[in-house]
Amino acid sequence: MSRLLAYYRNIAVLSQKSVSYLAKIDVKKKENDVYNTIPLEPDQAIKLSILFNEHITLIIDSSIQSFTERELYGLLLTSTGAQIDGSWRNAIGEEAEKVVQRLLVNEAKERNVLGAFISRVGTSVEQFDLNKLEEQVSNIHKYRGILLINKTSILFSSEPDISLIAVNGTTVSVIEVKGGADPAGALERYGAAKKSFGEARRLSPDVPTILVASCITSEVHTRISQDTLITSYYNLTELLSENSISYDRFMNEVFSLLGIV
């Protein structure tokens, strides 16, 4: 059991510290228990299965489109260390952004409001074609956003990661996506989001700001709840859960801001 637990934790690219925080289970003791003398209770097994499945799904849904086999192997190895740093942290952040982009595109399709994909090159648009949707979503990096049937748009960039644009071209909301799962870096990611939101508020003082993060520690939660710079926030892993209330709330907020109910 100890080897199996360590195997799936590493496949999910989660450190022991991250699992301890996210699932409230000390997996270090269990993984070191080579003779399996410490039992894994059924409720703990379910909680860990859900956590690992969410993170593995996140990797499969996004990384395969951009990471090479060698990079994916390296990504798994990094989870055995204390933290993922440098370019790896940037890569994880970029992949989390793509996951949220795909969620928004698929939701627009489900609401029958997806009009076209906006090319990153020039000003051309590629009309939405249901038969090509899987290919278009898989190549989301080729587009700088989507155009909805009411002429509003969702743009993908950086700082902010996602902008919601009204018909007249004004920004009606900005979204920052932070995909790191290491609790030690939660405050740093929160600070980076605040910096982006601060610039957005400088240009548009009343623009709503939305934070989507994989790891929101109790300290970050406390700061966010008292931070007037952040309008709302969501846990990324909860958005990926089946029948998620957070997913529905997030999508309703986004599309309501774009005039779609």
Side-chain angles (χ1 to χ4, degrees), residues 13 59 63 67 71-79 84 88 92:
V13 198
I59 294 169
S63 314
F67 281 0
E71 288 172 327
L72 283 172
Y73 180 68
L75 183 59
L76 297 181
L77 292 180
T78 60
S79 65
I84 299 173
W88 287 115
I92 290 295

Side-chain angles (χ1 to χ4, degrees), residues 8 44 51 54 58 80 85 88 94 113-114 119 121 148 224:
Y8 280 106
Q44 293 179 319
L51 176 64
E54 287 175 347
L58 178 64
T80 61
D85 59 8
W88 287 115
E94 290 172 2
V113 296
L114 179 55
S119 174
V121 181
L148 305 183
I224 290 176

Side-chain angles (χ1 to χ4, degrees), residues 217-244:
T217 62
S218 57
E219 173 64 22
V220 171
H221 181 276
T222 299
R223 296 196 184 194
I224 290 176
S225 63
Q226 300 171 352
D227 195 338
T228 57
L229 196 57
I230 298 177
T231 305
S232 57
Y233 61 97
Y234 298 87
N235 187 304
L236 178 56
T237 55
E238 291 180 3
L239 297 186
L240 297 173
S241 301
E242 188 175 358
N243 300 319
S244 167

Side-chain angles (χ1 to χ4, degrees), residues 21 25 28 44 80 86 101-102 110 113 158 205 220 232 236:
Y21 171 77
I25 299 172
K28 183 177 181 179
Q44 293 179 319
T80 61
Q101 291 168 9
R102 291 188 179 96
E110 291 298 320
V113 296
S158 60
V220 171
S232 57
L236 178 56

Side-chain angles (χ1 to χ4, degrees), residues 27 70 74 81 105 113 145 153 157 159 163 169 172 175 205 216 223 227 232 244 254:
V27 293
R70 179 182 178 185
V105 171
V113 296
S153 56
S157 57
E159 293 192 12
S163 298
V172 296
I175 302 173
I216 300 177
R223 296 196 184 194
D227 195 338
S232 57
S244 167
V254 167

Side-chain angles (χ1 to χ4, degrees), residues 49-101:
S49 296
I50 292 173
L51 176 64
F52 295 162
N53 183 63
E54 287 175 347
H55 280 260
I56 292 170
T57 299
L58 178 64
I59 294 169
I60 292 175
D61 188 46
S62 57
S63 314
I64 294 221
Q65 302 300 330
S66 58
F67 281 0
T68 65
E69 181 180 352
R70 179 182 178 185
E71 288 172 327
L72 283 172
Y73 180 68
L75 183 59
L76 297 181
L77 292 180
T78 60
S79 65
T80 61
Q83 63 181 18
I84 299 173
D85 59 8
S87 61
W88 287 115
R89 269 191 288 184
N90 292 335
I92 290 295
E94 290 172 2
E95 294 311 309
E97 291 168 27
K98 291 175 185 175
V99 168
V100 176
Q101 291 168 9

